[in-house]
Amino acid sequence: MIKHCLFPAAGYGTRFLPATKSMPKEMMPIVNKPLIEYGVDEAIQAGVKHMGIVTGRGKHALMDHFDKNYELEHQISGTKKEALLTDVRALIQSASYTYIRQNEMKGLGHAILTGKQLVGDNPFAVVLADDLCLNLGGDTVLKQMVELYNHYRCSIVAVQRVPETETHKYGVISGSKLESGLFRVDNMVEKPAPEEAPSNMAIIGRYILTPDIFEILENTQPGKGGEIQITDALLEQAKRGCVLAYEFEGERFDCGSVEGYIEATNYAYQHVYLGKPTESAEQGQETPVPA
Ligand code: UTP
């Protein structure tokens, strides 16, 4: 079972400056909930009990969000507004939250390695909260991946097909098909130009990793952009054993970009906040979730 989840959240969020100058990108709201809360909720629905958040300078708001605010609670106690805190209170009660600081921004691989002390010698999930994944009326993306992990017992990356012109923004995989939507990875390239991309299957911000990844990361040299890339470590893991790539069910929004953030906000307002059925629900493929 996967009981631990790491949330690398130390990045500077430069694409969202000036909003992220003094506020963590992960605290930016999609309608009335910060991105990190969607990620934690997804992890809890996948059965995760221990949240490990990798933070950096200026990220105190993340810690405060998953803690009690006695003054505020006292102020709104007994009023209608109290209901607005119900969801986050439930998240606080259902999991433990620990934090570790990444002192230097040496990349996602380095952020995950920094979280080693929080997950120990256990398989664990990784959620990049700025990738918002929603699968309304169905299993969350992380839950889908945990179920696959329980069957295959190896590292799994979530992938999505992207236009050729966008491969340079992602780690891109190629692999052999195991079953519908599932591939055994044989190659991975970080942010390739379209002509160097091994396919159009891009890794998005959901991973399940087996703990041997830490030893590999410890020996991974800085790669593209001078950063320690999780893609390089995963390619090594794939060579040694098995890494799977999973084409998940659901919607994914790149909330690290302004366009993706606006798209996510519109979608969540309609289908989460107002509870309107999505197109596929209207066609009878899923049940809408009320706000
Ligand atoms: P991104 O590159 O998307 O995030 O990293 P960023 O650096 O914050 O954003 P921009 O490009 O400057 O706008 C993907 C994820 O990895 C985390 C980030 O916080 C984000 O969730 N990350 C990245 C770290 O925790 N540490 C790092 O050294 C790098």
Side-chain angles (χ1 to χ4, degrees):
M1 290 297 284
I2 303 292
K3 292 288 165 209
H4 296 78
C5 184
L6 281 184
F7 295 81
Y12 293 127
T14 53
R15 282 168 291 167
F16 260 100
L17 283 169
T20 46
K21 187 164 170 267
S22 60
M23 178 183 74
K25 172 169 73 174
E26 298 74 16
M27 285 305 293
M28 298 213 342
I30 298 295
V31 192
N32 59 346
K33 252 199 244 183
L35 280 165
I36 189 84
E37 195 178 317
Y38 286 91
V40 165
D41 190 20
E42 183 181 338
I44 285 177
Q45 288 191 49
V48 170
K49 294 281 173 213
H50 305 291
M51 310 297 160
I53 303 181
V54 182
T55 67
R57 200 178 295 276
K59 300 273 184 171
H60 282 108
L62 288 169
M63 285 179 250
D64 292 340
H65 192 69
F66 295 105
D67 196 2
K68 275 201 163 170
N69 179 338
Y70 287 101
E71 270 176 33
L72 172 71
E73 306 226 354
H74 177 72
Q75 186 78 27
I76 65 170
S77 165
T79 72
K80 276 188 188 164
K81 288 183 185 155
E82 208 175 355
L84 295 171
L85 289 180
T86 307
D87 288 355
V88 72
R89 275 184 185 155
L91 298 186
I92 293 170
Q93 278 161 14
S94 349
S96 71
Y97 296 81
T98 45
Y99 301 86
I100 193 160
R101 248 170 113 132
Q102 186 189 8
N103 295 324
E104 287 176 279
M105 292 309 109
K106 289 200 217 154
L108 179 57
H110 183 258
I112 292 173
L113 184 56
T114 304
K116 180 179 175 183
Q117 291 172 49
L118 305 185
V119 299
D121 196 22
N122 297 294
F124 60 100
V126 175
V127 167
L128 304 187
D130 53 352
D131 258 346
L132 176 66
C133 291
L134 296 172
N135 188 30
L136 302 180
D139 285 348
T140 65
V141 173
L142 208 58
K143 186 162 187 215
Q144 296 165 38
M145 294 173 74
V146 166
E147 276 168 15
L148 275 177
Y149 173 80
N150 290 340
H151 185 71
Y152 287 98
R153 305 266 157 187
C154 58
S155 290
I156 306 171
V157 296
V159 291
Q160 182 178 41
R161 290 180 197 263
V162 297
E164 259 188 20
T165 48
E166 294 202 1
T167 55
H168 68 283
K169 297 181 183 166
Y170 300 90
V172 178
I173 68 115
S174 65
S176 48
K177 190 171 169 181
L178 277 181
E179 55 179 92
S180 173
L182 191 65
F183 302 84
R184 186 179 179 137
V185 172
D186 56 32
N187 195 12
M188 264 186 202
V189 184
E190 181 61 21
K191 300 193 170 71
E195 58 279 10
E196 288 159 7
S199 77
N200 66 343
M201 281 192 282
I203 303 175
I204 62 113
R206 298 290 180 278
Y207 307 74
I208 303 262
L209 300 175
T210 52
D212 53 313
I213 198 77
F214 290 127
E215 180 265 313
I216 301 175
L217 278 170
E218 275 158 10
N219 294 298
T220 300
Q221 297 305 312
K224 201 137 199 169
E227 297 188 331
I228 297 179
Q229 300 290 353
I230 187 64
T231 320
D232 293 339
L234 279 164
L235 181 57
E236 177 60 25
Q237 204 180 34
K239 285 181 191 159
R240 292 186 192 181
C242 180
V243 172
L244 302 179
Y246 171 56
E247 267 188 288
F248 57 94
E249 283 176 28
E251 304 288 332
R252 171 253 172 188
F253 302 92
D254 172 14
C255 296
S257 74
V258 173
E259 299 72 20
Y261 179 78
I262 299 298
E263 217 187 306
T265 302
N266 289 333
Y267 183 92
Y269 178 64
Q270 293 295 330
H271 305 301
V272 181
Y273 190 76
L274 298 180
K276 287 190 185 164
T278 58
E279 264 174 41
S280 49
E282 276 178 338
Q283 288 157 12
Q285 290 165 19
E286 66 184 41
T287 323
V289 179

